Amino acid sequence: MSMNGVPIRILMVGEAKDACRLRGLLDTEDSSHFHIAHVADLDLAAERLSTEPADVLLLDLGSKQQQARSYVQAARAASPDTPMVVLSESDDELLAVESLRQGVQDFLPKEPLDRLTLVRALRYSMERHRLQKNLQNLSLLDDLTGLYNRRGFLALAEQHLRMIQRKGAALLIYLDLDDLKLINDTYGHLEGNRALIVTANVMRACFRQSDILARLGGDEFCVLMIDAGQDSDQQVRKRLRQRTDFINALSSWKFRLSLSVGIAEVPAVQQPSLDQLLRDADSHMYEEKRKKQLRSADSPALKQTTIA
């Protein structure tokens, strides 16, 4: 059976004669459940996958058996988000284990290979890949807000900082939800959790999908703006202030949302480390919080909305 009534899309990389053989194995009364496309090499595979995604990449090692490790690595780089099944000329256990360690979902010798074995490998590889992606997402996301957690932010931000070195104009924004402990103590932890979720929604409304939004833990949030363009420190603060005031004006919650903000510019050259950027933004945030506390002895979470 096909997946949800939609044919399983298979892209095979290898020789045409092997693609014909695979079509023959799947060419039965339910052949409409599979759609096999064929390309001769990885460059063509990457080009095709950029416009026509596949459910499974079937990689035939063929004459590249001796270069299997580098070939599989190149295939993974060409399509990191597509589950891969490797076809080998021989039942090489060491090569199979090495391929699995590289992220391949299954390793099949071409002789003998029957229809049942092939279909099972294709389906199992898709399901294992889906489960692995779910587990990966769970380990990188904050359960309460759905933003990235600290681990997810650090992993993604490190990758994107290398891109920023080429593009420039980036900002790292550190946000603190004012008086979360007071909200918890006064109104209960359900309201405290609501305040955290509302903060995450404010961030989603103020930043783009390409920006990296995270809850680092407790009442601390962070954003890495990948391509800030014309956005300045004051423009970012203004957007956050307007959105927070809008939310507070319409809400019937017991608390009033208040955020303290610190922003560090990310230079395109002589770029500090991510840890240093976080420390700089965090320091700016605490300075704004200190000024806010000096201006008013009252809690902004209970009395007024303020974004420094």
Side-chain angles (χ1 to χ4, degrees):
M1 298 296 293
S2 59
M3 304 295 287
N4 299 322
V6 178
I8 295 175
R9 300 164 299 176
I10 304 165
L11 178 61
M12 180 188 167
V13 183
E15 297 183 7
K17 61 181 180 64
D18 290 305
C20 288
R21 181 193 173 202
L22 292 178
R23 287 194 180 97
L25 287 176
L26 300 176
D27 188 15
T28 64
E29 65 279 359
D30 63 349
S31 59
S32 62
H33 296 152
F34 303 93
H35 178 268
I36 301 180
H38 166 252
V39 292
D41 56 50
L42 288 178
D43 288 338
L44 292 173
E47 182 179 346
R48 186 183 184 101
L49 288 168
S50 66
T51 57
E52 299 178 48
D55 297 309
V56 183
L57 183 66
L58 198 55
L59 183 69
D60 185 359
L61 295 180
S63 60
K64 295 182 174 60
Q65 192 88 5
Q66 298 302 316
Q67 299 86 36
R69 181 174 182 176
S70 59
Y71 192 52
V72 169
Q73 186 176 33
R76 291 282 296 151
S79 183
D81 294 324
T82 306
M84 186 189 309
V85 175
V86 167
L87 293 178
S88 172
E89 297 295 330
S90 62
D91 189 6
D92 187 328
E93 185 175 350
L94 291 178
L95 182 56
V97 170
E98 178 66 24
S99 298
L100 293 174
R101 286 174 176 168
Q102 289 181 273
V104 168
Q105 294 294 341
D106 211 338
F107 184 97
L108 300 175
K110 288 195 285 188
E111 295 295 344
L113 180 62
D114 55 34
R115 182 181 186 281
L116 180 61
T117 302
L118 176 60
V119 171
R120 182 185 292 119
L122 294 172
R123 295 190 188 284
Y124 284 9
S125 68
M126 293 170 60
E127 182 62 16
R128 279 194 295 269
H129 182 75
R130 184 186 68 80
L131 292 173
Q132 287 173 355
K133 293 295 288 185
N134 286 344
L135 290 173
Q136 183 182 33
N137 288 337
L138 287 173
S139 70
L140 299 179
L141 297 181
D142 176 58
D143 290 340
L144 181 65
T145 64
L147 302 181
Y148 287 109
N149 57 24
R150 178 180 289 273
R151 177 182 178 185
F153 177 81
L154 294 177
L156 290 172
E158 286 285 6
Q159 295 177 12
H160 283 81
L161 283 175
R162 290 190 287 271
M163 297 169 52
I164 292 167
Q165 288 178 340
R166 297 192 297 270
K167 299 174 68 175
L171 297 173
L172 192 145
I173 299 100
Y174 208 103
L175 302 96
D176 184 87
L177 171 59
D178 292 324
D179 296 318
L180 176 60
K181 183 178 185 302
L182 184 59
I183 294 173
N184 285 330
D185 291 345
T186 306
Y187 303 124
H189 285 274
L190 287 179
E191 285 298 288
N193 285 346
R194 188 201 299 271
L196 291 167
I197 292 170
V198 172
T199 299
N201 290 337
V202 167
M203 293 168 62
R204 290 187 179 96
C206 291
F207 298 99
R208 300 160 304 182
Q209 289 186 345
S210 58
D211 298 326
I212 303 173
L213 281 59
R215 179 188 175 202
L216 300 182
D219 54 7
E220 297 178 338
F221 295 80
C222 194
V223 180
L224 179 62
M225 293 187 69
I226 305 303
D227 186 6
Q230 300 301 313
D231 276 323
S232 67
D233 180 307
Q234 293 304 315
Q235 287 170 323
V236 171
R237 292 176 186 276
K238 181 180 178 180
R239 280 205 306 272
L240 287 166
R241 182 184 302 112
Q242 289 177 338
R243 186 66 186 180
T244 305
D245 287 343
F246 175 76
I247 291 284
N248 281 328
L250 294 181
S251 74
S252 59
W253 307 314
K254 297 175 182 178
F255 64 88
R256 294 183 65 82
L257 190 69
S258 176
L259 304 175
S260 294
V261 180
I263 300 178
E265 294 187 4
V266 183
V269 295
Q270 296 183 335
Q271 191 180 94
S273 67
L274 178 58
D275 285 343
Q276 184 60 53
L277 289 168
L278 285 168
R279 285 195 295 269
D280 290 346
D282 187 28
S283 176
H284 297 326
M285 183 274 294
Y286 272 107
E287 178 62 23
E288 296 294 353
K289 184 182 286 288
R290 187 186 66 83
K291 292 178 180 178
K292 184 185 300 183
Q293 291 169 344
L294 291 175
R295 289 196 298 266
S296 174
D298 296 323
S299 167
L302 305 182
K303 296 293 184 182
Q304 61 184 1
T305 302
T306 303
I307 296 184

